[in-house]
């Protein structure tokens, strides 16, 4: 890989965007490499949770202007935008949880990338901004739609319509960021959380991600509940499940 780094350890896959000279801007080549890495992590039964972060002072600065600015009009722009949208949809719908470890600036497309992840933990030095409107465009990778699902409509619209830049604590107050840590503590706290997930069985992790997917698909609650019960029934009585229950019963004091 030329534009990213991949490390796997203890059930955690860390994907580090590695284009610090352009603030980890998303290029066509980076999209292709990310698709490849995500396919690898999905197929690897040892990987239970993913962390995405960036090298240098930025998380993601947006699209690579050298490539994106060359597009003129709908016929050229639509395929280019759709390529990145497909990547973020893959992240959004990934069957294992994806954590954005936002080490620095996440502006424009960087906010869209972060919004596609399931969790967002930020350094206190990170900055945010859906600044597309000031560039005479809108969010072009699905970030506006995701933001309107993630936040109350008025809060999401305020960010989209003003293009305001936010510090990490302000982004947390909006509900876009889950937690903010000092730059020194960010890595430690994110991995502490990831290890808690990685300690759980993969079948259960993937099952809960499936429940999330059903919700996002807009299935009625009664149908989601029916599917949830069916999913649990398929897991019930496995050797792993029985072993845990028998261990509990063995340790339980008798009267």
């Amino acid at each position: 890989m030329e534009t990213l780094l991949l490390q796997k350890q203890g059930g955690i896959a860390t994907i580090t965007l590695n284009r610090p000279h352009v603030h980890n801007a998303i290029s066509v080549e980076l999209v292709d490499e990310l698709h490849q890495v995500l396919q690898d992590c999905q197929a690897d039964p040892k990987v239970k949770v993913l962390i995405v972060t960036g090298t240098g002072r930025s998380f993601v600065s947006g699209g690579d202007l050298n490539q994106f600015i060359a597009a003129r009009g709908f016929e050229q722009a639509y395929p280019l935008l759709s390529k990145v949208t497909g990547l973020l949809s893959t992240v959004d719908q990934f069957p294992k949880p994806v954590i954005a470890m936002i080490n620095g600036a996440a502006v424009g497309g960087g906010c869209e990338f972060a919004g596609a992840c399931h969790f967002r933990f930020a350094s206190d030095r990170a900055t945010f901004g859906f600044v597309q409107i000031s560039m005479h465009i809108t969010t072009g990778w699905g970030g506006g739609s995701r933001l309107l699902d993630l936040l109350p409509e008025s809060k999401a619209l305020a960010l989209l319509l003003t293009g305001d830049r936010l510090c990490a604590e302000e982004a947390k107050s909006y509900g876009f960021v889950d937690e903010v840590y000092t730059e020194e503590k960010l890595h430690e706290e994110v991995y502490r959380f990831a290890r808690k997930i990685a300690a759980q069985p993969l079948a259960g992790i993937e099952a809960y991600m499936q429940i999330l997917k059903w919700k996002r698909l807009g299935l009625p609650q009664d149908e989601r509940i029916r599917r949830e019960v069916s999913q649990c029934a398929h897991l019930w009585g496995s050797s792993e499940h029985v072993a845990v229950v028998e261990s509990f019963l063995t340790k339980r004091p008798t009267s």
Side-chain angles (χ1 to χ4, degrees), residues 92 98 100 102 110-121 128 130 142-157 159-160 166 171-179 212 215-216:
D92 186 11
V98 181
I102 305 166
C111 272
E112 296 197 59
F113 197 113
C117 299
H118 303 112
F119 302 96
R120 284 163 293 281
F121 299 111
F128 301 84
F130 287 87
S145 297
R146 290 190 182 91
L147 190 68
L148 285 163
D149 286 340
L150 182 65
L151 304 184
E153 286 185 3
S154 60
K155 288 184 177 294
L157 279 175
L159 294 178
L160 296 170
L166 308 176
K172 181 182 176 182
S173 71
Y174 269 87
F176 186 68
V177 167
D178 296 301
E179 292 292 345
L212 173 63
K215 176 181 179 293
R216 290 181 172 178

Side-chain angles (χ1 to χ4, degrees), residues 26-125:
I26 301 295
S27 65
V28 171
E29 294 77 17
L30 179 56
V31 171
D32 291 338
E33 290 192 3
L34 280 167
H35 271 301
Q36 183 179 339
V37 165
L38 290 172
Q39 289 173 1
D40 173 79
C41 290
Q42 181 173 343
D44 189 343
K46 294 182 180 179
V47 172
K48 297 181 180 180
V49 56
L50 282 63
I51 296 172
V52 180
T53 191
T55 53
R57 306 298 296 176
S58 296
F59 174 67
V60 177
S61 61
D64 189 322
L65 292 180
N66 290 325
Q67 293 179 349
F68 280 79
I69 199 62
R72 291 290 187 274
F74 179 88
E75 295 300 328
Q76 294 180 10
Y78 186 79
L80 191 58
L81 295 173
S82 295
K83 186 177 181 69
V84 188
T85 301
L87 169 68
L88 297 194
S89 293
T90 298
V91 173
D92 186 11
Q93 299 166 21
F94 203 68
K96 300 173 184 180
V98 181
I99 303 169
M101 183 165 68
I102 305 166
N103 54 299
V107 178
C111 272
E112 296 197 59
F113 197 113
C117 299
H118 303 112
F119 302 96
R120 284 163 293 281
F121 299 111
S123 160
D124 58 0
R125 296 186 181 181

Side-chain angles (χ1 to χ4, degrees), residues 4-25:
L4 59 81
L5 307 171
L6 174 64
Q7 180 182 22
K8 298 178 183 179
Q9 186 173 9
I12 303 169
T14 303
I15 302 170
T16 305
L17 309 184
N18 190 34
R19 306 187 75 217
H21 57 292
V22 288
H23 304 284
N24 301 319

Side-chain angles (χ1 to χ4, degrees), residues 105-108 127-131 134 159 162-167 170:
V107 178
T127 55
F128 301 84
F130 287 87
V131 299
S134 64
L159 294 178
T162 65
D164 280 350
R165 292 177 181 257
L166 308 176
C167 69
E170 289 172 326

